[in-house]
Amino acid sequence: MLFYFTILLSLIVGSCFGDLPSDVEKCKVNDNECVATKIMEILKKFPNGNSDFGMPKISAMQLKNVTVARASDNSPIKLNFRFEQFIATGLENSIVLNTSGWTKTPKNLEANIIIPKLVINGDFETDGRILLLSLEGKGKGFIELTDCYANIKGKVVLEKRSDGKNYLKLTKLKAVMQPKKFFMKMDNLVKGSQELTQTLNDVLNDNWIEVWNELSAGINDALSKILLQLTVDVFNKLSYDDFFVE
């Protein structure tokens, strides 16, 4: 889900780089259904981004240095897991189920979305224990989340600036997602042993719900922090007064 809430909060209305193309109409205040429709329209129209209004390349988002799990004594799966770099694909096919909060004086913004298939490829390093199997590895990783449901919530306040316009200040953001299916394939989980690496991959996928439970908090926390910073930067330059059509 990486960058999605930034798009949700800003790309339907333009950005500090300019305005939306003339063939994409803005929504009216409080028209949450229109907002949801426009988000999907923009994602499909510009999967590779659009520099005219500051939209990044949604079809291949890149992140670095994300810790997704730390070993816990209270869990049968004890993992330390960190991505040095990963590339997420599939966000451009997101389905916006609903969104709310787009009032004249917003306080709480929320969206529920489904990502049919979110794929993450990247470099990772890990160590830990799964049942009786120990692992310590570093290499290329692949994660696929199918029919991923995500809930995104943000708290905002309006600030009047010296230019006479109101700007959104995002005070809190939380993104939580849950896939219907989770699959992963990690190379070199056990140094020098392809056979044990394959065995561990099989164990991970056979117990994918438990594995996801171990990784989900770290992934969601990392996504929330990244999206918060990115959205803060956008709202620092874009006036909320210019968001909607009169």
Side-chain angles (χ1 to χ4, degrees):
M1 312 253 301
L2 314 160
F3 296 108
Y4 192 84
F5 202 47
T6 305
I7 300 163
L8 170 66
L9 297 178
S10 62
L11 294 183
I12 59 167
V13 295
S15 78
C16 57
F17 292 90
D19 207 345
L20 289 175
S22 59
D23 61 341
V24 179
E25 296 181 0
K26 293 183 180 181
C27 299
K28 294 182 179 179
V29 175
N30 292 318
D31 194 344
N32 295 304
E33 184 175 349
C34 173
V35 171
T37 299
K38 293 303 176 183
I39 293 169
M40 290 189 289
E41 180 181 340
I42 291 171
L43 289 175
K44 293 183 183 301
K45 187 181 291 288
F46 305 109
N48 294 317
N50 189 310
S51 59
D52 290 342
F53 54 96
M55 181 177 177
K57 184 177 181 180
I58 305 303
S59 58
M61 306 302 298
Q62 299 187 41
L63 297 170
K64 293 183 178 181
N65 298 321
V66 177
T67 298
V68 295
R70 290 185 173 88
S72 170
D73 292 334
N74 299 321
S75 173
I77 299 177
K78 299 176 175 62
L79 286 177
N80 293 304
F81 201 102
R82 183 177 72 88
F83 275 106
E84 297 176 359
Q85 179 186 37
F86 69 78
I87 301 173
T89 61
L91 291 173
E92 71 276 13
N93 298 316
S94 297
I95 300 168
V96 182
L97 301 176
N98 52 67
T99 183
S100 62
W102 300 93
T103 65
K104 194 68 175 178
T105 55
K107 294 182 179 179
N108 299 291
L109 301 174
E110 183 173 0
N112 294 298
I113 69 172
I114 290 178
I115 308 169
K117 184 178 291 186
L118 179 64
V119 175
I120 297 172
N121 290 279
D123 302 320
F124 77 95
E125 59 181 16
T126 185
D127 64 81
R129 178 177 291 275
I130 302 174
L131 302 177
L132 299 177
L133 299 174
S134 297
L135 67 156
E136 180 180 1
K138 182 176 182 180
K140 298 291 184 181
F142 172 91
I143 293 178
E144 181 179 278
L145 297 90
T146 303
D147 292 332
C148 188
Y149 173 86
N151 174 261
I152 308 167
K153 295 180 179 179
K155 290 184 178 295
V156 296
V157 295
L158 284 178
E159 290 185 336
K160 179 81 76 174
R161 293 191 181 174
S162 59
D163 60 3
K165 293 184 177 183
N166 292 298
Y167 289 77
L168 280 182
K169 180 179 180 181
L170 189 60
T171 61
K172 185 178 181 180
L173 188 149
K174 185 175 183 180
V176 178
M177 60 181 178
Q178 177 64 47
K180 286 189 176 180
K181 183 64 177 177
F182 177 90
F183 173 83
M184 64 191 303
K185 184 179 186 303
M186 301 291 162
D187 295 337
N188 197 35
L189 281 175
V190 179
K191 294 180 180 179
S193 177
Q194 181 60 38
E195 184 177 353
L196 284 178
T197 290
Q198 183 59 53
T199 298
L200 281 170
N201 273 293
D202 291 341
V203 171
L204 290 170
N205 287 307
D206 288 342
N207 298 274
W208 75 266
I209 294 177
E210 290 81 2
V211 173
W212 169 250
N213 288 339
E214 290 297 310
L215 303 182
S216 61
I219 291 176
N220 288 326
D221 182 62
L223 291 178
S224 298
K225 290 178 179 178
I226 292 168
L227 292 171
L228 175 63
Q229 184 57 53
L230 289 172
T231 308
V232 164
D233 291 342
V234 172
F235 284 168
N236 190 46
K237 299 177 181 178
L238 176 65
S239 167
Y240 190 69
D241 293 345
D242 298 326
F243 270 25
F244 302 97
V245 68
E246 294 294 334

